[in-house]
Amino acid sequence: MLKNYLKIAIKVLLRRKFFTFISLFGVSFTLVVLMVASALLDHAFGPLPPEVRTDRTLGIYTVRMELTNSFERTGAAPYWFLDRYVRTLATPARVSLYSTQRSVAAYVADEKHSLFLKRTDGEFWNILDFEFLEGGPFTAADEREANFVAVINRATAELFFKGQPAVGKTIAVDGQRFRVVGVVPNIPIFRVTSFADVWVPLSTAKSNGYLRDATGDFLALLLARTPGDLPKIKEELQTALARVEFPNAREYSRIITAAETLFESVARGMFGRDRDARNYAGYLLGLLLALAVLFMLLPAINLINLNVSRILERASEIGVRKAFGASSWTLVGQFVVENVLLTLIGGAFGFVAALFLLNALTDSGLIQYAHFQMNYRIFLYGLTAALFFGLFSGVYPAWKMSRLHPVDALRGQSL
Amino acid sequence: MIKHLFKLVWNRKRSNLLLMLEIFFSFIVLVAVMTLAAYYQDNYGRPLGFVYENVWNIGIDMNTATDDVWSAEMVSTTRQLFLALQDFPEIESACGALSTPYGLGSRQSVNEFKGRRVEMEVNEVTDTFLQTLNLQLLAGRWFDQTDDASNWKPVVINQRLSRELFGHDDPIGRPFEPWSSQEEEVRVIGVISDFRRDGEFVGPGNYLFERKRLDDPRNRPPANLLIKVRPGASAAFEERLAARLEAVAREWSFEIQPLTHKREVAMKLRLVPVILLGLIAAFLMIMVGLGLVGILWQNVTQRTKEIGLRRAKGATAAAIHKQILGETLVLTSLGVVLGVILVVQFPLLDLISTVSVKVYAQGVLLALLVLYGLTLAASLYPSWLATKVRPAQALHYE
C-alpha cells in the first residue's frame, strides 16, 4: 500500500511542477538554515578533536567573586583558587590549569602578525587528544623548570618557517623566545578550551605575579575516570567552595562557580547570569528549539497553504475513493505520506546545499581556522527537522480534506 | 466596491485565514529586520565625535598582582613609558585611557537624578586625550594642569548627558548632582559633542570623562595608551616601538593595533549577524511570495466559472484585474492590521528602549511598503491569467 501511495505521490508532484518547485524551495531553504545553524553549534560544542572525550571532561570557565553588596567580578578564575581548591579535588583522574588565549605580536620579516598565545601546564596535553604533525607536547617537567618551549599550530609554523620542519627552531612572540617542540593542526577559534596559535608553559609568564594575583584569567579542565563520575566531581567542587579562604578578604569574600561543560557554562551565563551554580543547560536547549520552531513557522504555514490548494485540485479523486469506501484515516495517511515524501526530497536538496554552503563558509575564512563539516549528528538533526516539518504541515490539510463529503467532492465543490 | 471585496474575502474565510496568518507572520519578521536596518542607517549618519585615522591603540597587560603594593612601581613605570614615547618623532601625541574606541571593555554607571535613572559610560583619561582623538569641545574647557590644585573633582560630559541633567541651562561649573553623595565634590568643567566610542553602528549614549593623573599613586595607571602617529608610520616603526616599550616595562605585555584595524573588527562583529538575518529574511519573503503566487493561481483556476460569468455580463479585463488585486489588498490589509495592533504595543509598553520611536516607525513603514509590494507583485500573474478567461469556455467548465 505504501508503495502505491509513493507512486501516486510522484505522479502528483510531477503534474503541477510549479507547486512542487515552490514546496521544495521552501523546504530545502528552511532545512539549509537549520542545518547550517546546527553545524555552527556542533562546531562550538560537539566532540571534535582534540576535545574528543567530552563525555568525561568538565571545565571551570567562569567564576563570580563577590564582596557582599558591593564589588563583584565575573570572568576567568584566579590562579590561587584553581591551584588550591580545584587541583586538589579527589574524584577527577586529571586536572589541568591553563590561561585564556591572549593576542600577542610576532614580527616576521618586518611584518607584524597577531597570534593567540595560551599558557598551559603539562596535564593539558594528557587530557586533550592533540594530533601532532611534528614533535610532541611539552611536559610537566618543562612547566616546573620554566623551559622556554612552545607547541605551535600549522599556520604559525607556516608563518615562521615556510614549510620547513619547525621542531628545534626558535620563535619570538610577545618579546620572548621559545624553542618549538611540537606542531599541531589549526584549532578553530570557537573551541575556547583548546584554541590558540602558540601554547607555552604557564611558568614562562613574564612575571610570577599570577601566582599571588587576587584575580586572574585562568581556566581548569577536569577529566573523570568514568562518565558516571561527573556528578560526583560537580558535587565535590561545591563542597570545596564552602571552605575557600580568600587571600584578600576585603576585596572579595564569596566565590560562585561550577564544574560544567562549555554548553552548560554558556547557559548558566545567559540564564543565571553566573549568580548561582545551577545547571541551566535545559533552558538553553529549550530556547534553541523554540527558535528553530519559530523559524519554521512561516515556511510551515506557507506549505500548509500550498497543500490546501493542491488538495482542492484533487477533490474528485478524493470523492471517488470515499465513494468506494476508503475511510478518512486511510486518506489522511496517504496525504501525510505524500507530504513527508515531499519534505524528504526537499531535505535531500537542502542537505546538498548545506554541504556547499558549509564548504564555502570554511573557505571564506570568515571564522578563523573553522572547518565546518557535515557529520552524522547534523544529518540526524536535519532529518528530525524534516520529518517534523513534513508531519506538521501535512496533517492539517489532510485532516481537512478527509472531512470532505463524498458528494461535494465528486462535484468539485470548494472546501 | 470595497464592501464587495470584503464580502468576497469573507466568503472564503476558511482558506483566507491561513493566508492572513502567513501575512501576519511575514509582517512581524519584516518589522524586526527593517527596524534593525533603519536603526543602523540612522546611527551611521550621525557624527562619531572623534577621529580614528592614524591613531594606534596600545593595550597594556600589567601582569601584576592587584595587592596594595603595586601602585608606586606601576605608576613610575607608566610615567617612564610616556617619556619613552616622546623619543619617537613619528608620534604626534599620546594619552592614556581606561577604555578606548572600538574596544570591548567599558565602565557603565547608573545614577539616581531627581528620581530618574540616568545611565552613562564613564571613562578615565589623561589630559592629552582631547587632542589625540580630536574631540570637539563645545563649551567650557578640557582637563589641564590647573586641575592639579583644585580640591574638587573635574569631569567633562557630552552634550547629550548635559541636556539630560541640566536641560538648556549652562552646565559649566555646576556641581555634578548625581554623584554628590560621594565624599569629594564633583563639578562639570566642559561639554563635548557626541562621543560614540563603540563606533558608527551604535546609537549615541551619555558619556562622562574623569581625569586620570599619571602621578597620582591613588589611581591605577591606565590600561590603554593611545598614540597619534604621523601618516605613513610603518610596521618597522611599530616593531621598534614594541621593543622600546618592552625594554621599559620588562614584566608587562603590549598589544599595538591601529584603530582602523580595531574598527574593522568591530564593524564586522556587528554587521555579519545583520547581513545574515537580512539574507534569511529575504529568502523567507521570496518563499512567501512564490507561495502566494501558487495559491492565487489556484484560486483563479478554481473560480473560472465565476470570472467567466462576470466576463459574460460585460466586465472588462481591467475590472477583473482590479477585482483580483483588490482582493489581495484586502487580504494583506487584514493580516497587516493584526500585525500593526501587536507591533504598536512595543513602544507603548516601553518594551524597546534602544531604538527611538521615530526609527521604529520608519522600520514599520518600510515593512508595510515591502509587504504590500510583495503581495501585489505576487498577484500580478494570477490576475493576468484571470483576464484570459473566456466566458464561453468558462460557462462550460465543470
Side-chain angles (χ1 to χ4, degrees):
Chain A
M1 196 163 69
L2 194 66
K3 206 174 138 198
N4 254 337
Y5 284 177
L6 292 180
K7 270 188 188 161
I8 297 173
I10 305 257
K11 280 273 181 309
V12 170
L13 291 184
L14 289 175
R15 197 168 66 204
R16 278 288 222 155
K17 295 202 181 59
F18 182 64
F19 270 78
T20 310
F21 163 72
I22 300 172
S23 304
L24 287 180
F25 174 79
V27 172
S28 36
F29 159 71
T30 312
L31 288 177
V32 165
V33 172
L34 288 175
M35 273 194 260
V36 169
S38 46
L40 289 174
L41 286 174
D42 192 69
H43 206 65
F45 301 112
L48 291 181
E51 299 164 39
V52 284
R53 288 191 279 261
T54 41
D55 59 331
R56 288 205 284 139
T57 37
L58 291 174
I60 293 183
Y61 295 97
T62 44
V63 301
R64 182 182 163 98
M65 299 198 289
E66 294 178 343
L67 182 67
T68 321
N69 295 333
S70 55
F71 294 111
E72 40 98 354
R73 172 188 184 274
T74 307
Y79 190 83
W80 63 264
F81 165 69
L82 297 179
D83 189 42
R84 250 172 271 164
Y85 299 97
V86 177
R87 211 174 234 167
T88 53
L89 292 177
T91 328
R94 296 173 184 278
V95 177
S96 159
L97 306 191
Y98 60 100
S99 75
T100 53
Q101 59 274 3
R102 223 162 43 76
S103 156
V104 295
Y107 297 91
V108 183
D110 264 0
E111 226 181 286
K112 182 202 163 186
H113 298 272
S114 279
L115 297 177
F116 282 101
L117 181 91
K118 182 174 256 171
R119 297 180 190 270
T120 79
D121 58 11
E123 281 288 41
F124 188 76
W125 307 97
N126 296 327
I127 298 179
L128 299 173
D129 261 344
F130 279 93
E131 173 199 347
F132 276 88
L133 305 170
E134 249 188 88
F138 54 78
T139 60
D142 282 322
E143 206 273 323
R144 224 173 16 249
E145 289 153 21
N147 291 335
F148 279 75
V149 289
V151 172
I152 58 178
N153 66 357
R154 187 203 289 267
T156 310
E158 196 57 39
L159 173 70
F160 277 99
F161 308 113
K162 313 263 179 306
Q164 302 290 314
V167 170
K169 293 184 182 146
T170 331
I171 57 167
V173 287
D174 198 22
Q176 292 181 314
R177 301 184 72 78
F178 298 94
R179 185 169 50 84
V180 175
V181 293
V183 181
V184 295
N186 297 334
I187 310 294
I189 197 163
F190 279 1
R191 313 296 300 203
V192 290
T193 306
S194 46
F195 167 75
D197 292 300
V198 181
W199 295 261
V200 300
L202 279 170
S203 48
T204 58
K206 286 186 178 171
S207 127
N208 61 5
Y210 72 93
L211 297 173
R212 311 183 304 269
D213 202 341
T215 60
D217 55 351
F218 293 91
L219 301 101
L221 199 59
L222 300 91
L223 184 71
R225 289 189 179 83
T226 64
D229 274 353
L230 295 185
K232 281 188 228 160
I233 294 178
K234 292 183 180 196
E235 236 169 84
E236 198 195 346
L237 176 75
Q238 294 307 320
T239 337
L241 289 183
R243 55 182 172 81
V244 167
E245 277 173 40
F246 282 79
N248 190 346
R250 280 186 296 116
E251 249 184 303
Y252 299 106
S253 61
R254 181 163 174 239
I255 195 160
I256 303 164
T257 188
E260 54 202 352
T261 61
L262 185 60
F263 188 77
E264 286 166 352
S265 170
V266 170
R268 200 165 63 87
M270 275 177 79
F271 293 95
R273 307 190 64 192
D274 297 309
R275 285 191 182 129
D276 56 52
R278 278 163 48 200
N279 187 345
Y280 288 91
Y283 292 80
L284 184 53
L285 207 61
L287 178 76
L288 289 174
L289 278 178
L291 280 179
V293 169
L294 213 62
F295 168 70
M296 285 199 285
L297 201 59
L298 198 51
I301 296 177
N302 197 39
L303 202 60
I304 290 175
N305 271 329
L306 284 172
N307 283 339
V308 169
S309 309
R310 200 197 254 282
I311 285 170
L312 275 178
E313 279 196 325
R314 297 165 65 184
S316 52
E317 174 198 333
I318 296 164
V320 171
R321 292 209 44 201
K322 278 206 150 182
F324 278 90
S327 77
S328 289
W329 285 112
T330 330
L331 287 169
V332 169
Q334 180 191 340
F335 281 90
V336 168
V337 166
E338 276 180 23
N339 201 52
V340 168
L341 180 76
L342 183 75
T343 39
L344 285 183
I345 296 174
F349 280 120
F351 187 77
V352 173
L355 260 178
F356 272 107
L357 206 65
L358 288 176
N359 270 339
L361 212 60
T362 302
D363 293 340
S364 74
L366 195 67
I367 299 159
Q368 202 177 7
Y369 306 144
H371 188 79
F372 296 106
Q373 280 168 326
M374 208 33 111
N375 58 34
Y376 74 94
R377 282 186 303 276
I378 300 162
F379 179 72
L380 279 183
Y381 298 146
L383 197 67
T384 315
L387 284 176
F388 174 78
F389 200 65
L391 287 174
F392 184 76
S393 61
V395 166
Y396 172 75
W399 170 77
K400 212 174 152 182
M401 165 278 313
S402 71
R403 288 174 12 130
L404 213 59
H405 201 275
V407 178
D408 291 338
L410 278 172
R411 287 181 52 217
Q413 282 277 323
S414 65
L415 291 173
Chain B
M1 170 77 184
I2 289 183
K3 210 173 139 194
H4 178 67
L5 282 176
F6 268 98
K7 205 173 190 174
L8 277 172
V9 171
W10 179 252
N11 282 342
R12 303 165 47 79
K13 54 189 174 298
R14 274 293 196 72
S15 53
N16 281 340
L17 192 70
L18 275 171
L19 270 183
M20 243 171 64
L21 206 63
E22 189 173 353
I23 286 166
F24 167 78
F25 281 117
S26 308
F27 180 66
I28 302 294
V29 170
L30 278 173
V31 166
V33 173
M34 291 299 161
T35 305
L36 203 63
Y39 178 66
Y40 271 32
Q41 166 74 29
D42 182 57
N43 286 334
Y44 199 81
R46 290 167 187 270
L48 200 54
F50 64 90
V51 177
Y52 57 84
E53 281 103 351
N54 291 320
V55 178
W56 292 10
N57 184 47
I58 307 175
I60 309 176
D61 184 349
M62 296 181 186
N63 288 326
T64 319
T66 47
D67 289 322
D68 298 320
V69 282
W70 56 265
S71 50
E73 193 193 331
M74 274 165 82
V75 169
S76 78
T77 311
T78 308
R79 289 174 72 182
Q80 283 168 34
L81 283 181
F82 270 95
L83 284 177
L85 292 180
Q86 283 176 8
D87 292 345
F88 289 92
E90 291 94 338
I91 299 177
E92 269 180 39
S93 70
C95 67
L98 180 76
S99 50
T100 64
Y102 303 107
L104 290 177
S106 67
R107 196 177 122 196
Q108 304 289 335
S109 172
V110 183
N111 295 284
E112 199 75 22
F113 176 71
K114 289 182 184 159
R116 270 186 306 130
R117 276 163 59 88
V118 179
E119 280 178 49
M120 64 194 83
E121 186 177 334
V122 180
N123 202 348
E124 295 165 29
V125 299
T126 62
D127 294 352
T128 42
F129 189 78
L130 180 85
Q131 68 199 77
T132 310
L133 281 172
N134 253 353
L135 301 192
Q136 297 279 314
L137 197 62
L138 296 179
R141 61 178 181 82
W142 185 255
F143 308 120
D144 58 36
Q145 268 148 10
T146 56
D147 293 316
D148 286 354
S150 67
N151 51 4
W152 41 267
K153 187 175 181 172
V155 294
V156 173
I157 57 179
N158 71 346
Q159 199 176 18
R160 201 182 141 93
L161 182 57
S162 167
R163 287 244 177 82
E164 195 153 325
L165 296 175
F166 307 108
H168 289 289
D169 299 345
D170 182 17
I172 306 302
R174 299 216 4 200
F176 191 69
E177 285 148 333
W179 284 1
S180 54
S181 60
Q182 289 186 337
E183 53 250 49
E184 200 178 8
E185 193 189 341
V186 178
R187 270 191 224 169
V188 177
I189 61 162
V191 179
I192 56 157
S193 69
D194 260 334
F195 179 69
R196 298 197 290 139
R197 194 184 62 85
D198 289 318
E200 285 82 344
F201 289 132
V202 182
N206 295 328
Y207 218 93
L208 180 136
F209 290 97
E210 281 178 33
R211 183 169 185 244
K212 203 172 232 337
R213 282 169 62 177
L214 289 177
D215 53 354
D216 189 348
R218 285 171 307 170
N219 258 335
R220 192 189 166 90
N224 291 286
L225 305 180
L226 288 164
I227 54 172
K228 185 171 197 170
V229 297
R230 289 184 208 292
S234 63
F237 157 65
E238 193 183 326
E239 191 174 354
R240 270 192 295 126
L241 180 67
R244 183 67 194 276
L245 294 173
E246 272 157 12
V248 172
R250 290 193 179 282
E251 298 197 335
W252 295 4
S253 295
F254 300 92
E255 192 187 353
I256 305 177
Q257 265 185 339
L259 282 191
T260 43
H261 177 74
K262 285 186 85 117
R263 174 173 180 266
E264 248 169 63
V265 174
M267 302 269 268
K268 208 165 147 188
L269 215 63
R270 292 190 191 277
L271 268 186
V272 167
V274 177
I275 292 174
L276 275 181
L277 269 183
L279 270 178
I280 291 177
F283 267 103
L284 275 179
M285 290 309 126
I286 291 176
M287 197 177 65
V288 168
L290 283 177
L292 222 53
V293 172
I295 294 157
L296 293 173
W297 184 354
Q298 174 65 29
N299 272 353
V300 167
T301 37
Q302 235 207 331
R303 291 161 65 188
T304 308
K305 208 167 124 190
E306 171 199 333
I307 295 166
L309 200 63
R310 281 202 66 194
R311 286 309 294 269
K313 290 188 76 183
T316 59
I320 301 287
H321 240 316
K322 247 189 184 163
Q323 182 199 339
I324 303 282
L325 291 186
E327 276 184 49
T328 313
L329 277 182
V330 168
L331 202 63
T332 311
S333 305
L334 286 177
V336 159
V337 164
L338 277 184
V340 167
I341 290 173
L342 179 78
V343 151
V344 163
Q345 306 300 315
F346 286 95
L348 287 184
L349 296 176
D350 246 358
L351 288 176
I352 46 161
S353 51
T354 38
V355 178
S356 71
V357 174
K358 195 183 126 221
V359 169
Y360 188 62
Q362 267 175 17
V364 174
L365 280 180
L366 267 173
L368 281 177
L369 216 67
V370 173
L371 194 60
Y372 273 106
L374 185 78
T375 51
L376 277 183
S379 59
L380 279 180
Y381 177 66
S383 115
W384 176 81
L385 269 186
T387 62
K388 294 284 152 229
V389 172
R390 269 178 299 165
Q393 203 182 11
L395 291 173
H396 274 287
Y397 185 83
E398 185 152 359

